[in-house]
Amino acid sequence: MNSAGHSEATAPRGLELTPFRGLRYDPDRVGSLAAVTSPPYDVVVRPDGLHHLQSADPYNIVRLILPQATTPSVRNEQAADTLRRWLSEGVLTTDSEPGLYVYEQRHDDGMLQRGIIGALRLSDPADGVVLPHEDVMPHVVADRAALMRATSANLEPLLLTYRGDATTTAAAEAVEHTAEQPPLLSTTTEDGFSHRLWSITDPAALTRIQSDLARHQALIADGHHRWATYRRLRAEHPAPGPWDFGLVLLVDTARYPLRVRAIHRLLHGLPVAEAVAALDGLFRVRRLDGPLPAALETLADAVCASNAFLLAGDGAFHLVDRPDPELLARTVPADRPAAWRTLDATVLHATLLDHVWHIPEDSPAHIAYIHDTAATVEKAERDGGTAVLMHPVREEVVRDLARQGVTMPRKSTSFGPKPASGLVLRALDA
C-alpha cells in the first residue's frame, strides 16, 4: 500500500484516493476541538466572523487558513511560521500510520453526512475524473497557491461528491462499519453540528475502498479554487511526489444527499435606489415589505416562472424578475446549452453585472460573495451597498452541466454541509 506521494504516476482511470498521515490537534494542548475549528476560508464572514474565531482559541485554524498581516507575503510567511511552531510545540501531531479518514457530520435537524477524507490524485478536466462546475477567479487561486506554497500543506479538504451504486458497495460498507467504532475525535461546533472522525489503516480494507472508488467520477461540490490551486502547484512540481495529490472529502450522494444553497452577492458602492433605477424597462421590480423568510418564499415562487433575484440594503426587499427577452438575447452568450443560458447566475453575471450595472465580477473592491443570507443583507444595509439574493440551483442541473463540460458562472452554488476546517490537515513534506 503506497501512501500519497509515493505512487507511480499512471493514467487516471477513476478516483484514486490514497491514505496519508493526517495532522491533527492534540486535544490536551487546546481549549477544545470545537474552539480550534472554522468553516472553510471562503465561508468566514470577515471581519466579524474572523475576529470571533481568532478569539475562540489561540490555536484556531483561521490563523493558518486566513492569516492577518499587512501584505500577502507577510501573511503567508506568518502562516508558515505558525504551522512550524504548532508542530514543534506538539499542538499539531502527525498520526503514526497512513490512513483514509471517515468523517461524519450530524445535526439535530436530521442532517447526517458521512464521507471519506483522503489524498486524491489530481487530474485534468479532460480526463473526466473530477468534474468542475464553476469558473474560478484567478486572484483567489493565486492567493491560495501562495499560502499553500508557503505552508507546504493542504490545510482544509475540498468537498467532492460521487454517485454510488444502489447496492451497498465496498466504500459504503467501510464507512458504515467504521462509524460503529469509537472515533478518533468527537466534538460539537457552535452551529449545532457534531463531528466525528475515524481512521482506516487496515491494508485489505483500504484496497477494497480504493478499488471501489476507482470506478467512479466526482463532482466538485465545494472548493473549485482550491482544486485549481492543487493543479497549479502540481505543475510547479512535475516530479512524481506529494504535490500530485490533494486533500478531499468524498461523499456518496446516493446515500447522503447534500443540501444546495445559493451564494449571494454584495455590491459595494451601488445603493439599492441606483440599482433599481437602472432596471427600469428591463426587468419587473416589485417592493416587498415582509421579513426575510417571506421574501425568500416569494423569490422561490418567482424563479419557477422566470429568472428572479431579491435586492436588499435599504430596509426593504425588491423582487426583480421577468427580464425583457430582447435584453437576454443581446447579453447572454448563445453558444452554451439552454440549461446554462437560463441559469439565474448566468443572467446575473452576463446581463445585470456586465451590461446593466457595469460591475466587474472579479474585483473584490466592487463585489463580495457571501454564503449567509442574513449577513449579506446586514452588510448591505450597514455599508450602503446592494445585496443580490439568489435562489439555489438543483444538484441535478449542476451535475448534468458538468458532465457536458460546461462550467457555471463562478460562485453559483453552495453545497453543504461543508467539512469543518481544522479536524485533519495534510503535510506535503512529511
Side-chain angles (χ1 to χ4, degrees), residues 209-223:
I209 293 170
Q210 291 174 306
S211 297
D212 185 0
L213 294 176
R215 301 182 296 111
H216 294 285
Q217 63 180 185
L219 175 75
I220 301 177
D222 185 67

Side-chain angles (χ1 to χ4, degrees), residues 278-284 321-325 327 330 351 355-356:
L279 300 175
D280 186 37
L282 303 177
F283 285 75
R284 183 176 70 168
D321 66 352
R322 298 190 185 181
D324 175 19
L327 172 67
R330 291 198 315 271
T351 303
H355 181 78
V356 177

Side-chain angles (χ1 to χ4, degrees), residues 1 12 23 29 38 44 144 231 265 269 287 314 318 320 329 350 362 390 405 414 423 428:
M1 182 59 56
L23 288 181
R29 298 297 308 273
S38 164
V44 176
R144 291 291 103 184
R231 295 184 61 245
R265 277 65 170 161
R287 180 186 174 100
D314 62 349
H318 306 266
V320 176
D362 57 354
M390 311 280 288
S414 175
L423 295 180
L428 290 158

Side-chain angles (χ1 to χ4, degrees), residues 298-312:
T298 304
L299 173 63
D301 292 338
V303 297
C304 296
S306 76
N307 299 113
F309 315 89
L310 273 181
L311 305 188

Side-chain angles (χ1 to χ4, degrees), residues 235-247:
E236 297 175 6
H237 300 80
W243 297 92
D244 294 339
F245 298 81
L247 187 64

Side-chain angles (χ1 to χ4, degrees), residues 54 57 130 138 156 161 185 224 262 284 356 371 385 401:
Q54 285 178 324
D57 191 282
V130 175
E156 44 186 350
T161 71
L185 64 85
H224 283 81
R284 183 176 70 168
V356 177
H371 294 72
L401 285 172

Side-chain angles (χ1 to χ4, degrees), residues 18-88:
T18 312
F20 69 104
R21 295 175 64 204
L23 288 181
R24 295 189 296 111
Y25 281 99
D26 181 343
D28 293 331
R29 298 297 308 273
V30 298
S32 74
L33 288 174
V36 296
T37 64
S38 164
Y41 79 97
D42 58 340
V43 183
V44 176
V45 179
R46 291 175 275 189
D48 302 355
L50 181 65
H51 294 160
H52 172 69
L53 290 164
Q54 285 178 324
S55 62
D57 191 282
Y59 299 115
N60 190 282
I61 192 68
V62 292
R63 287 176 168 78
L64 299 183
I65 64 174
L66 289 172
Q68 299 299 295
T70 53
T71 67
S73 61
V74 174
R75 285 200 301 269
N76 296 330
E77 189 52 46
Q78 177 178 293
D81 290 342
T82 299
L83 178 57
R84 284 191 291 267
R85 187 174 71 253
W86 290 358
L87 287 168
S88 67

Side-chain angles (χ1 to χ4, degrees), residues 1-200:
M1 182 59 56
N2 292 325
S3 60
H6 299 286
S7 301
E8 293 300 318
T10 57
R13 59 191 177 94
L15 299 170
E16 184 181 333
L17 194 68
T18 312
F20 69 104
R21 295 175 64 204
L23 288 181
R24 295 189 296 111
Y25 281 99
D26 181 343
D28 293 331
R29 298 297 308 273
V30 298
S32 74
L33 288 174
V36 296
T37 64
S38 164
Y41 79 97
D42 58 340
V43 183
V44 176
V45 179
R46 291 175 275 189
D48 302 355
L50 181 65
H51 294 160
H52 172 69
L53 290 164
Q54 285 178 324
S55 62
D57 191 282
Y59 299 115
N60 190 282
I61 192 68
V62 292
R63 287 176 168 78
L64 299 183
I65 64 174
L66 289 172
Q68 299 299 295
T70 53
T71 67
S73 61
V74 174
R75 285 200 301 269
N76 296 330
E77 189 52 46
Q78 177 178 293
D81 290 342
T82 299
L83 178 57
R84 284 191 291 267
R85 187 174 71 253
W86 290 358
L87 287 168
S88 67
E89 294 174 354
V91 174
L92 287 170
T93 60
T94 305
D95 284 341
S96 58
E97 293 183 83
L100 296 176
Y101 295 83
V102 172
Y103 175 47
E104 176 190 277
Q105 292 164 279
R106 186 188 294 267
H107 197 276
D108 291 341
D109 64 6
M111 166 61 77
L112 172 64
Q113 178 173 289
R114 289 175 178 151
I116 304 174
I117 296 176
L120 184 69
R121 180 179 288 280
L122 305 182
S123 57
D124 297 323
D127 297 326
V129 177
V130 175
L131 305 175
H133 71 266
E134 288 184 358
D135 293 330
V136 297
M137 292 175 269
H139 75 275
V140 177
V141 175
D143 176 73
R144 291 291 103 184
L147 176 63
M148 206 175 296
R149 234 182 259 117
T151 58
S152 193
N154 296 156
L155 300 172
E156 44 186 350
L158 283 63
L159 176 59
L160 305 187
T161 71
Y162 70 101
R163 298 288 293 179
D165 302 328
T167 57
T168 303
T169 62
E173 285 180 347
V175 167
E176 302 310 318
H177 173 72
T178 302
E180 296 173 355
Q181 313 304 314
L184 291 174
L185 64 85
S186 178
T187 191
T188 300
T189 45
E190 61 180 19
D191 58 4
F193 274 94
S194 65
H195 308 261
R196 295 199 295 170
L197 191 76
W198 299 260
S199 179
I200 300 176

